[in-house]
């Protein structure tokens, strides 16, 4: 019997473990290890952060190479024995996502070589022209992951997670992250914002180490003189205030 998860105790809680994040070098390693027709799937999944179903439903007319954008308007839902194309769960799911300039050339080449013809042609299809299916693609993903020496616990969906981390580290605000992810609530975006803040502390700690190292270096005569003058001025000021 189906039940509304809102009425099931604990169903709304998120206790999932933190997912792994791939470096840019690792992303390209697995992209180069997979079959060439799926290389762009790996890169877009990371650097534009659409979901697998959204990539499977992407059409030529959804790609604007001049503006370096893709439009996410629909998603492929897989059913037993087939699949169907449907709209996003919310209006926020309909979105334009900027594609990094560094991979636009790869995207252009992919469309020319592998996409279906015509404006409605699918951007990603199988070797025989069939639609992408998670189950079939998973075997290719696992092999490429092993060939690229990526840890076994990394799933395809972690590419989206990695891309969101990169966007947050690049300075994306909560609203900007929401727009890229296609979320109508701040909850998921705040996860990546927190990660960015933690990274900011790491950067500050590294700067602190450089500051301390610089202060330990021997000072020249002029620097020592300035330091003595600052010390004398501070002491004199303190004495004056005490006398008053």
């Amino acid at each position: 019997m189906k039940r509304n998860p809102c009425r099931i105790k604990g169903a709304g809680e998120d206790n999932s473990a933190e997912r792994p994040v791939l470096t840019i070098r690792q992303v390209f390693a697995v992209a180069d290890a997979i079959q060439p027709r799926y290389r762009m799937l790996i890169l877009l999944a990371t650097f534009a952060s659409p979901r697998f179903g959204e990539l499977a439903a992407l059409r030529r007319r959804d790609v604007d190479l001049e503006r370096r954008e893709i439009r996410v308007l629909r998603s492929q839902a897989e059913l037993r024995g087939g699949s169907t194309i449907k709209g996003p769960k919310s209006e926020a799911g309909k979105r334009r996502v900027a594609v990094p300039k560094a991979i636009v050339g790869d995207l252009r080449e992919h469309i020319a070589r592998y996409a279906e013809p015509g404006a409605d042609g699918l951007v990603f299809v199988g070797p025989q022209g069939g639609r992408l299916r998670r189950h079939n693609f998973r075997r290719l993903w696992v092999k490429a992951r092993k060939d690229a020496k990526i840890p076994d616990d990394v799933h395809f969906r972690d590419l989206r997670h990695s891309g969101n981390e990169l966007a947050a580290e690049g300075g994306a605000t909560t609203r900007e992250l929401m727009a890229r992810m296609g979320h109508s609530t701040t909850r998921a975006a705040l996860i990546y914002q927190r990660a960015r803040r933690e990274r900011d502390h790491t950067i500050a700690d590294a700067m602190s180490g450089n500051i301390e190292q610089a202060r330990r270096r021997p000072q020249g005569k002029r620097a020592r003189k300035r330091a003595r003058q600052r010390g004398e001025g501070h002491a004199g000021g303190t004495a004056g205030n005490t006398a008053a």
Side-chain angles (χ1 to χ4, degrees):
M1 178 179 176
K2 294 182 179 179
R3 296 181 62 191
N4 185 335
C6 295
R7 299 178 61 185
I8 301 174
K9 185 177 181 180
E13 297 177 2
D14 183 11
N15 297 316
S16 57
E18 185 175 347
R19 296 303 308 159
V21 176
L22 272 66
T23 65
I24 293 176
R25 187 180 296 274
Q26 287 177 314
V27 171
F28 274 93
V30 71
D32 292 337
I34 207 163
Q35 292 181 15
R37 71 168 47 250
Y38 301 115
R39 181 176 184 273
M40 198 63 223
L41 188 78
I42 301 296
L43 298 182
L44 267 189
T46 306
F47 302 120
S49 294
R51 302 170 179 87
F52 183 89
E54 293 169 340
L55 287 165
L58 196 67
R59 300 185 181 277
R60 276 181 178 254
R61 57 185 163 89
D62 299 326
V63 180
D64 188 335
L65 292 171
E66 297 305 316
R67 293 190 177 187
R68 306 197 307 272
E69 292 179 343
I70 61 170
R71 293 187 303 168
V72 180
L73 301 175
R74 62 194 74 83
S75 181
Q76 176 177 289
E78 297 187 16
L79 309 171
R80 184 174 297 178
S83 62
T84 185
I85 302 297
K86 61 178 185 178
K89 295 179 179 179
S90 67
E91 282 300 309
K94 295 180 181 180
R95 62 199 189 276
R96 288 178 178 267
V97 184
V99 177
K101 186 178 181 179
I103 65 170
V104 169
D106 299 271
L107 179 55
R108 189 188 306 274
E109 181 179 352
H110 170 88
I111 290 174
R113 294 185 61 183
Y114 299 114
E116 289 182 329
D120 284 332
L122 292 171
V123 174
F124 298 104
V125 291
Q128 305 303 319
R131 288 184 177 179
L132 293 185
R133 300 294 299 273
R134 292 178 188 274
H135 178 72
N136 295 335
F137 178 76
R138 186 179 182 280
R139 291 176 295 179
L140 302 175
W141 164 259
V142 169
K143 182 180 185 305
R145 185 186 64 197
K146 290 181 178 179
D147 292 344
K149 296 179 173 56
I150 303 299
D152 292 344
D153 63 338
V154 176
H155 304 305
F156 180 84
R157 64 178 178 271
D158 292 322
L159 296 176
R160 172 174 158 88
H161 176 60
S162 300
N164 291 330
E165 287 275 5
L166 288 170
E169 289 180 9
T173 65
T174 301
R175 285 291 179 184
E176 289 165 343
L177 283 169
M178 289 171 60
R180 287 186 71 84
M181 291 187 287
H183 285 183
S184 56
T185 63
T186 61
R187 181 176 170 277
L190 286 173
I191 294 173
Y192 300 106
Q193 284 289 298
R194 185 179 67 239
R196 184 174 73 86
R197 288 195 298 273
E198 290 170 356
R199 172 61 180 161
D200 196 37
H201 280 279
T202 301
I203 294 170
D205 289 343
M207 291 173 62
S208 180
N210 292 334
I211 293 169
E212 291 174 359
Q213 184 177 2
R215 294 180 69 181
R216 287 196 296 268
R217 291 174 184 165
Q219 295 180 331
K221 291 182 179 179
R222 185 174 298 178
R224 288 198 297 270
K225 183 178 179 181
R226 285 199 301 266
R228 285 197 302 271
Q229 290 173 343
R230 286 196 301 269
E232 291 166 0
H234 177 71
T238 303
N241 291 337
T242 303

